[in-house]
Amino acid sequence: MRRLCVYCGSRSGDSDCFQQAAEAMAEAMLRHDVGLIYGGAQIGLMGAVADAVLAGGGEVIGVIPESLKQDEVAHQGLTCLEVVPSMHHRKARMIELADAMVALPGGLGTLEEMFEALSWAQLRLHSKACGLLNVEGYFDSLVSFLDNAVEQGFISSEHRDLAIVDRDPDRLLTTLLRLS
């Protein structure tokens, strides 16, 4: 794997542990010589992971829709910033550029992006590994929901297993590397 797409919040959350996890994921990526593909913003966890990868000399490619670039949230110090016409183009381009995807804590956009990547994997539109970095149990309820959906017959076990969950960035990245 050369590049990891990281979905995460444009906010930092209420605990320092989230920013620390974003920085720890960046450090793991640098140790494995893995570049970052992300949403191109300079704010929140998005900015934290990008800044940490850049500080370590890694490659960072941001993909941002024109509407958000105009809102002045675009990171100006990236290796490359691609400006695309819409969120739909952004999501497709990020998956295209990446070898695997991971979600860190975030809100609706983070979840929407990760679920689209998982749905596309289920539909065999790509065969890239998808992971959740479960910082301080942030995704516990989501994992329970997915497990319940299997029990209720809405998701197969095979498709549930597309979402790889770990609390440790190094272990998660190692698993994603092995599967990619």
Side-chain angles (χ1 to χ4, degrees):
M1 178 176 24
R2 278 198 66 236
R3 295 179 177 150
L4 178 68
C5 176
V6 175
Y7 305 122
C8 58
S10 60
R11 297 175 143 194
S12 296
D14 290 337
S15 172
D16 291 341
C17 71
F18 300 124
Q19 176 145 343
Q20 292 166 359
E23 293 167 356
M25 178 55 75
E27 291 166 8
M29 292 169 65
L30 289 165
R31 279 192 295 280
H32 291 279
D33 195 29
V34 172
L36 171 65
I37 306 296
Y38 87 117
Q42 64 182 351
I43 56 177
L45 294 185
M46 293 172 70
V49 72
D51 287 342
V53 171
L54 288 167
E59 174 191 50
V60 179
I61 299 172
V63 182
I64 194 164
E66 182 65 42
S67 62
L68 291 180
K69 183 177 185 279
Q70 292 174 356
D71 290 339
E72 299 182 5
V73 299
H75 197 300
Q76 299 303 310
L78 305 179
T79 308
C80 176
L81 179 65
E82 292 190 18
V83 180
V84 294
S86 69
M87 290 297 283
H88 295 292
H89 287 94
R90 173 200 219 179
K91 293 181 293 181
R93 183 67 176 146
M94 288 169 68
I95 290 173
E96 178 185 345
L97 290 170
D99 298 299
M101 284 70 68
V102 66
L104 277 60
L108 295 174
T110 300
L111 293 173
E112 189 268 338
E113 289 171 323
M114 178 51 77
F115 273 105
E116 184 158 327
L118 288 165
S119 294
W120 288 11
Q122 176 182 322
L123 295 170
R124 295 184 186 96
L125 298 176
H126 71 75
S127 59
K128 300 173 182 185
C130 298
L132 300 171
L133 183 62
N134 195 14
V135 179
E136 297 295 321
Y138 184 80
F139 289 117
D140 284 353
S141 297
L142 181 62
V143 171
S144 293
F145 168 81
L146 294 172
D147 292 341
N148 184 57
V150 171
E151 291 173 19
Q152 299 298 321
F154 287 98
I155 299 175
S156 71
S157 294
E158 174 189 357
H159 293 142
R160 160 57 187 90
D161 291 343
L162 292 172
I164 300 156
V165 183
D166 204 311
R167 296 176 187 275
D168 180 84
D170 279 304
R171 265 195 325 254
L172 180 57
L173 185 58
T174 298
T175 301
L176 295 174
L177 286 167
R178 185 172 33 85
L179 295 172
S180 295

